[in-house]
């Protein structure tokens, strides 16, 4: 915080953020959501100040800001402060787009989790078609950039369930869950519990049951 390092020392603040994130996670696990949120909001303002006042760090600060905003958005999701969740995620997408336009060879780490969590927001608020659209964007991106990510696996599961619920498309649902199962074999091994569970879901669908979705909570 300002008290520890002063807002003008970017490196000290960046190094301190890992400890602040860990403390916020601990507070959240103990149910102290407001305390966790206040810690992260203080960090958010600190890095906004650094971005404004220290020249040449805009792109780097954007990626840090998106990471903090995702954490705050997840707290808003837990407490069902959905309007604030959406505001955080929309700012994330703006910052990530700005990062990606900067000409760096790497892409922002914030865009995929922002879209994934916006899909969750859309689902919470009953806009399942928009949720499906966002999840399909996540799948398209992660197929190219990080096929083994939890966001990719979760999006495949959630898309499968939405296709079944919205369009009664058992065939599409089976296709998406089979893709997830194939990925899990590569990531975890053919005999892992993840593969066994997803295979069981596929077999249920093939028998005529409804899809079951088990989502890993992440960024």
């Amino acid at each position: 915080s300002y008290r520890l390092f002063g807002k003008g020392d970017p490196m000290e603040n960046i190094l301190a953020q890992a400890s602040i994130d860990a403390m916020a996670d601990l507070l959240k696990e103990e149910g102290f959501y407001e305390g966790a949120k206040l810690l992260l909001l203080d960090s958010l303002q600190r890095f906004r100040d650094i971005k404004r006042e220290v020249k040449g760090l805009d792109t780097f600060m954007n990626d840090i800001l998106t990471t903090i905003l995702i954490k705050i958005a997840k707290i808003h999701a837990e407490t069902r402060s959905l309007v604030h969740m959406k505001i955080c995620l929309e700012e994330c997408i703006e910052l990530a787009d700005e990062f990606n336009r900067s000409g760096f060879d790497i892409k922002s780490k914030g865009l995929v989790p922002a879209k994934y969590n916006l899909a969750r927001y859309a689902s919470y608020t009953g806009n399942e078609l928009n949720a499906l659209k966002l999840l399909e964007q996540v799948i398209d991106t992660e197929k190219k950039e990080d096929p083994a990510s939890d966001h990719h696996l979760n999006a495949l599961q959630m898309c499968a369930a939405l296709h079944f619920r919205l369009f009664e498309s058992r065939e599409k649902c089976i296709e998406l869950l089979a893709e997830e199962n194939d990925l899990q074999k590569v990531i975890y091994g053919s005999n892992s519990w993840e593969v066994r569970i997803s295979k069981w879901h596929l077999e249920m669908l093939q028998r005529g049951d409804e899809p079951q979705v088990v989502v890993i909570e992440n960024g």
Side-chain angles (χ1 to χ4, degrees):
S1 72
Y2 300 133
R3 293 174 296 281
L4 288 174
F5 303 115
K7 61 186 177 182
D9 192 335
M11 187 53 64
E12 294 290 359
N13 279 282
I14 291 164
L15 292 172
Q17 190 57 40
S19 297
I20 293 168
D21 288 343
M23 189 178 296
D25 287 344
L26 181 60
L27 285 169
K28 194 171 76 166
E29 286 172 13
E30 296 295 326
F32 298 112
Y33 293 106
E34 191 64 23
K37 184 176 70 176
L38 289 174
L39 268 179
L40 292 169
L41 285 170
D42 179 67
S43 293
L44 187 68
Q45 188 57 52
R46 228 172 343 108
F47 285 108
R48 281 175 173 159
D49 290 345
I50 292 170
K51 179 182 174 181
R52 185 178 65 252
E53 296 177 12
V54 182
K55 301 303 180 185
L57 290 179
D58 286 20
T59 301
F60 189 38
M61 288 300 107
N62 280 2
D63 220 33
I64 294 172
L65 288 168
T66 58
T67 301
I68 297 170
L69 282 162
I70 290 290
K71 291 177 179 292
I72 296 170
K74 289 178 69 179
I75 292 173
H76 286 313
E78 296 263 7
T79 58
R80 287 300 187 266
S81 301
L82 298 183
V83 172
H84 293 103
M85 177 188 181
K86 184 171 184 278
I87 289 168
C88 285
L89 294 171
E90 287 176 341
E91 183 178 352
C92 259
I93 287 178
E94 288 177 12
L95 290 168
D97 284 341
E98 185 181 326
F99 182 100
N100 290 341
R101 290 194 303 269
S102 66
F104 276 66
D105 290 337
I106 59 172
K107 298 294 185 183
S108 169
K109 297 189 295 291
L111 191 57
V112 164
K115 286 186 175 182
Y116 175 80
N117 282 285
L118 265 178
R120 292 175 64 196
Y121 165 82
S123 182
Y124 292 152
T125 55
N127 192 346
E128 292 188 323
L129 280 172
N130 193 43
L132 182 60
K133 178 183 174 183
L134 287 162
L135 290 166
E136 286 174 341
Q137 291 175 16
V138 169
I139 290 169
D140 287 344
T141 300
E142 292 298 76
K143 273 182 181 178
K144 293 176 283 189
E145 295 185 6
D146 190 5
S149 75
D150 286 342
H151 289 120
H152 189 196
L153 295 172
N154 287 347
L156 286 166
Q157 278 204 38
M158 293 168 70
C159 271
L162 286 169
H163 271 287
F164 190 89
R165 189 152 63 240
L166 292 169
F167 311 118
E168 297 184 0
S169 177
R170 185 175 299 275
E171 183 179 338
K172 183 65 175 178
C173 188
I174 289 171
E175 176 192 326
L176 289 164
L177 291 182
E179 186 176 342
E180 180 207 20
N181 185 253
D182 288 342
L183 272 173
Q184 287 175 328
K185 288 175 184 174
V186 175
I187 298 165
Y188 303 117
S190 297
N191 293 320
S192 65
W193 69 268
E194 291 91 349
V195 170
R196 291 199 297 270
I197 289 172
S198 63
K199 184 180 177 184
W200 176 63
H201 290 164
L202 275 170
E203 290 170 348
M204 288 177 64
L205 273 171
Q206 289 159 351
R207 288 198 304 266
D209 295 333
E210 291 193 12
Q212 304 294 314
V213 176
V214 181
V215 170
I216 306 164
E217 289 299 331
N218 59 17

